[in-house]
Amino acid sequence: MGPQTRKFAALLSILFLLVSYAISPAYAAYAANTSTNTGGEEANTYVQVISESAPVKQTETNQPIGELAKETILKAVKLENNRVYIQWGTELAYLDGADVQNAVLSEPLTSYTYEEKAQSTYILIKEKTAIYTQNGKLIGYLMPEQQYPISQELDDAFEIIIGNQLGYIKKSPSVSVIVPNDNTASDSEETKNSSTAPTNSTETSQQVTETKQPETKTNTTEVNKIATTNQTTAHSSITPTNETTAAPFTASTKYFQVVADQVAVYDNSSGKLVQVGTLEKGQEFPRIRDYGNWHQIQFGTKYAYVWKASTIPSSGNSPMKTGSNAGGNTVFTATIDLPVYDNSTGTLIRIATIKKGQIYPIIRKFGENWYEVLIAGRIGYVHKNGVQITFKPTDRYFRVTVDQLAVYDNSTGKLVQVGTLEKGQEFLRLKDYGNWHQIKFGKGVAYVWKGSTEPSSGSSIRNANSAPPTGVTFTTIADAPVYDNSSGTLVKFASIKKGVSYPVVKNFGNWYGIDVSGRIGYIHKNAVKLPFKSTDRYFEVLEDRLPVYDNSTGKLIVVAYLEKGQVFPRLRDFGNWHEIKYGKGVAYVWKASTRPPFSIQLKNENKGLQPTDKYFLAISDTPVYEDPNNTKTQFAIIKKGESYPIIREENNSVVIDISGRIGYVWKEAIQIGPIIRYTSYNLTLDDMLKIQMKTNPKTDLYRNSPSYVHSDYVKVDKPGTFPTVGTVTATTLNVREGTSTSHWIVGTLKAGDIVQVIRKVGDWYEIKFGPWKFAKPEDVKTYLDPSRFSRDSKEYFQFLVLSESAGVPLNELNDKILAGKGILAGKGQAFIEAGQKYHINEIYLISHALLETGNGTSQLANGVLVSEVDGKPVEPKVVYNMYGLNAYDKCPVRCGAEYAYKKGWFTPEAAIIGGAEEIANRYIHNPTYKQDTLYKMRWNPANPGLHQYASDIGWAVKQVRNISALYDLLDRYTLIFDVPVYK
């Protein structure tokens, strides 16, 4: 043991002694005692938390920084304004007075403080973290992102001081050690609004004119300076001032030159500074006027502002074209940060940028790809690829300018993409819809983003549609291209997204004609599916490994897969599902993943072959083939772990029926007969044993062994006379297997318990105690260790998988097990159906029924006439209960019979099958625990210590005796075991 560990153990021992003293709280309301203390009086008292969870708050911000648990006792440093201040790290924090009361201690507690050296190391809390006393009692919590100084670091914990008491935080990945840096980062510049910022109205004239001039005030608050090298910082207001700037601008200066990279241009028309563009370094621009620390410039049909300190006065002699007409009849929206170029020298030179999203007026179109604009008084050019031109309401057509322009449906209130339109193609629009075109699409309308189109004349459209829909609707099974063939060649002009339902205009061989935005187009039938009719007998699979679901337990469980492109018969239409044949029962396939086939050519459809009572187990996902040599088409897969009935065996294969088709399964992929699975668990056997010992497992192995208690804690009625009766006086009294405290504790008694005292042995009494006693670790391990049980032993049946069929033939159940068993005789078919329907081993069900019905002779099993349920009259009927469900000790017949009436168990068969569902839901197929072996029910290796059905260490072994005896009577069955494997 290291020195830190020894020190921590010593501290634990000291605190254990301290907390053993009585603490007497004063029950007067603490708030009443402190309500008049408003002057910040220093406190010299201890307080005790009386709320379940008392928030600890930061003194300045009042924000919660921690919580204290009920009954926690801490020293109060100061009482003020109904607040109780306590030491919190190296500062103070406070509790509300209503959360605490005075604590009167029988002995004073040691008050701890941080030494100076301790303040250099802190822990950083990433998650809400518990604080404990030395003996493990909860003190409270630190909130996430808290830094807290530590007193010392121990082997497995950090010692801190909280409320002048010691606390301990367990080490974990969410708690890290840091050394805080005293240098704090400087705050970023804040934006502050000014009431003197100018506001410009939207201009209607093409000329740039000022509609309202801001007043110049000599006593206006000075705006924050912006460093020349930091041009992206927004200014709080644009206010003329008398401040002397670095550049000697005068009111008569007409031009400025930019001396910093990408100087920001700000719009202030909303009363807030919004960056709308940039000017390039080295470029000259005319300004409208001097505006204190700013230049006022033209920007579109408005004014904008440039920080003067990022410029110098200039002559305006550099090559440039200036102007005053900003345009305005046509505008664009910048779809990117849009470069503006000057070409006055015959070379494109970037002079400015218009920010993405800005709406800007056009002077004129320039060639095929450019628009001319006026920016900061200079003529410039922007490329059309970076802008969106505004449509007029009267425009009837548009041309797509991007690849695969999305088409959206909005009928649900949300935009859902349903198709695409091809670049360069023209389309008719129904109307202008804000930023969208509304177009004809399917049975209704859809929407196209206007910014990815341009106005057009519609002159290239040759396939305008005038035909109405036929009434047939398909659904696309993939993203499906739509072609125009008006030129004699297929030209893709649109596509329909997967999963979209669309009306057919015409049927054209292998194609369907449809209307897309007023144009007739053609889509191939392979890309779509038609809806099923109730009379359809077959379906084609459209997806890879289409799941087949079993629903016999009331939950959908994947049991197999069907291959894409394969055609299968179906038993019937079942809403959104196909019901198909699966094994000896049925299963379900999702209809939306299939379609009615265009042709049906099945060579292996089953014409009447039936499965036998023999099953195999798929030891992996097992392919099913069309022929016995596994050389042809694979059309299905049986899922790993599935038991499946066999029609017949051949040399290397077994023959089965799946979804109405005969298939062959290779024997190498399956097991026929006893099957042993092994499930690995991520803990050792010793780990498992430690967990189980914490649950106080019991045994009757020591039922005849003597038990002893110390005589000091039992008051006998007749001292010196034995046997006699005694009363336990201790709060908790250990019962031991011998007459010393070193002997094993076999149980406990509590104060007031009456015991039979047999005799006195020294200072001990021998008492009657049992038969159930605490099991010793070595005895627990004997039952816990799977390796101790031989495969040939009866005890091995504790690993029998109870969720798998035994595959026992009907005649063997009736002739060898149920014969002579009262009402259960001849009911083998009901047990088989119950096992198949609810995935329960039929032998387990029979064993359960035989036990509960006294081999078929009990009153509940043979029928009880019920005329009243829950005290209310009902139609008199005879009911049956084969598993003793709800047959409570206080009312076994009445309660069990009324429960059977509620469940509708009016025949023995209904009770066998219906009761099996109850057993499946309560035990074997519990959705949380899934304990489908007796071993799992007792020890639950997946979640040890939880949901264990018995405390007796021998419970699982005792249960198998009846089951193994039943199997001994049989000749044909399949055994499937699941054996735990520990690390």
Side-chain angles (χ1 to χ4, degrees), residues 698-699 783 938-939 951-959 961:
K698 295 181 175 62
T699 183
Y783 288 94
R938 171 57 188 92
W939 302 109
S951 59
D952 179 10
I953 60 176
W955 180 84
V957 170
K958 293 174 183 177
Q959 305 306 307
R961 294 169 185 165

Side-chain angles (χ1 to χ4, degrees), residues 55 60-61 74 87 133 140 142 179 223 276 441 507 510 571 600 658 666 668 672 741 819 979 982:
E60 295 180 357
T61 64
L74 299 173
Q87 169 266 330
T133 64
L142 291 179
V179 179
V223 298
V276 292
F441 193 86
N507 193 331
N510 291 325
L571 298 178
I600 302 167
I658 182 166
W666 195 244
E668 289 182 352
I672 304 173
T741 56
V979 182
Y982 298 106

Side-chain angles (χ1 to χ4, degrees), residues 600-630:
I600 302 167
Q601 296 178 348
L602 288 182
K603 297 180 181 179
N604 63 338
E605 187 170 358
N606 188 5
K607 301 299 183 181
L609 294 177
Q610 296 298 321
T612 65
D613 291 327
K614 199 169 187 177
Y615 283 73
F616 70 79
L617 178 77
I619 58 178
S620 62
D621 283 358
T622 303
V624 184
Y625 296 93
E626 285 186 345
D627 75 302
N629 298 317
N630 300 343

Side-chain angles (χ1 to χ4, degrees), residues 349-661:
I349 298 173
R350 185 168 178 171
I351 60 172
T353 300
I354 298 170
K355 293 288 285 183
K356 179 180 178 180
Q358 289 297 308
I359 299 175
Y360 210 88
I362 296 172
I363 298 174
R364 60 177 175 138
K365 189 172 182 180
F366 193 82
E368 288 298 320
N369 297 315
W370 297 88
Y371 296 110
E372 185 176 277
V373 298
L374 183 70
I375 185 166
R378 291 182 59 175
I379 299 297
Y381 299 90
V382 297
H383 199 276
K384 72 173 186 178
N385 286 347
V387 305
Q388 170 193 335
I389 303 299
T390 302
F391 277 80
K392 298 187 294 294
T394 54
D395 290 329
R396 292 190 61 217
Y397 297 92
F398 63 87
R399 179 181 290 107
V400 178
T401 59
V402 298
D403 292 328
Q404 295 184 330
L405 174 59
V407 179
Y408 293 98
D409 173 67
N410 192 36
S411 59
T412 63
K414 295 182 179 180
L415 289 177
V416 178
Q417 188 177 352
V418 290
T420 60
L421 304 180
E422 293 297 306
K423 183 177 181 179
Q425 293 291 323
E426 287 187 279
F427 296 92
L428 174 71
R429 67 176 191 165
L430 298 179
K431 67 175 180 177
D432 190 286
Y433 202 81
N435 291 323
W436 302 82
H437 303 300
Q438 186 185 80
I439 65 171
K440 184 179 180 182
F441 193 86
K443 294 181 179 179
V445 296
Y447 299 89
V448 174
W449 183 246
K450 198 184 294 181
S452 298
T453 66
E454 62 184 9
S456 69
S457 63
S459 59
S460 67
I461 297 176
R462 300 179 181 177
N463 60 337
N465 178 49
S466 60
T470 60
V472 176
T473 299
F474 63 70
T475 301
T476 50
I477 62 175
D479 290 353
V482 184
Y483 297 96
D484 170 23
N485 77 338
S486 58
S487 65
T489 302
L490 291 177
V491 177
K492 181 180 177 182
F493 72 96
S495 70
I496 310 297
K497 294 290 285 184
K498 178 182 177 180
V500 174
S501 294
Y502 215 92
V504 174
V505 172
K506 63 172 66 175
N507 193 331
F508 191 75
N510 291 325
W511 300 81
Y512 286 124
I514 62 174
D515 184 307
V516 178
S517 191
R519 295 177 60 178
I520 187 74
Y522 296 90
I523 191 168
H524 201 277
K525 290 181 179 179
N526 281 343
V528 305
K529 63 179 180 179
L530 297 178
F532 279 90
K533 302 185 294 292
S534 60
T535 55
D536 289 330
R537 290 192 57 242
Y538 298 88
F539 63 87
E540 179 186 350
V541 178
L542 298 176
E543 297 182 2
D544 293 326
R545 289 172 61 96
L546 177 61
V548 176
Y549 292 94
D550 172 62
N551 193 35
S552 59
T553 63
K555 295 185 177 180
L556 292 175
I557 300 172
V558 177
V559 291
Y561 304 96
L562 304 182
E563 297 291 355
K564 183 177 182 179
Q566 292 294 314
V567 174
F568 295 90
R570 67 177 188 170
L571 298 178
R572 61 171 174 153
D573 190 286
F574 197 78
N576 291 323
W577 302 83
H578 303 299
E579 185 178 82
I580 66 170
K581 185 177 180 182
Y582 182 80
K584 293 184 178 181
V586 297
Y588 298 90
V589 174
W590 185 243
K591 194 188 296 181
S593 299
T594 67
R595 68 179 174 186
F598 290 115
S599 62
I600 302 167
Q601 296 178 348
L602 288 182
K603 297 180 181 179
N604 63 338
E605 187 170 358
N606 188 5
K607 301 299 183 181
L609 294 177
Q610 296 298 321
T612 65
D613 291 327
K614 199 169 187 177
Y615 283 73
F616 70 79
L617 178 77
I619 58 178
S620 62
D621 283 358
T622 303
V624 184
Y625 296 93
E626 285 186 345
D627 75 302
N629 298 317
N630 300 343
T631 58
K632 294 183 180 178
T633 304
Q634 173 183 316
F635 66 91
I637 296 172
I638 302 295
K639 198 171 186 296
K640 177 182 178 181
E642 277 294 298
S643 293
Y644 206 85
I646 298 170
I647 293 176
R648 67 175 182 269
E649 289 189 56
E650 298 191 352
N651 291 333
N652 297 316
S653 304
V654 295
V655 179
I656 67 170
D657 178 305
I658 182 166
S659 190
R661 291 177 62 176

Side-chain angles (χ1 to χ4, degrees), residues 198-213 265-272 274 276 286-289 295-306 323-328 331 357-361 374-378:
T199 302
N200 294 329
S201 302
T202 302
E203 310 264 354
T204 57
S205 170
Q206 292 183 345
Q207 298 297 117
V208 179
T209 57
E210 184 176 13
T211 59
K212 181 179 180 181
Q213 296 289 349
V265 178
Y266 293 100
D267 172 59
N268 195 36
S269 59
S270 65
K272 294 183 180 180
V274 178
V276 292
R287 65 178 189 167
I288 294 173
R289 66 166 174 153
H295 302 300
Q296 187 183 73
I297 65 169
Q298 167 269 333
F299 190 83
T301 56
K302 296 182 179 181
Y303 294 124
Y305 301 88
V306 175
S324 59
N325 181 6
V331 299
Q358 289 297 308
I359 299 175
Y360 210 88
L374 183 70
I375 185 166
R378 291 182 59 175

Side-chain angles (χ1 to χ4, degrees), residues 679-688 980-983:
T679 301
S680 297
Y681 296 95
N682 191 28
L683 72 169
T684 66
L685 183 62
D686 287 339
D687 292 336
M688 184 72 170
V981 177
Y982 298 106
K983 292 198 302 183

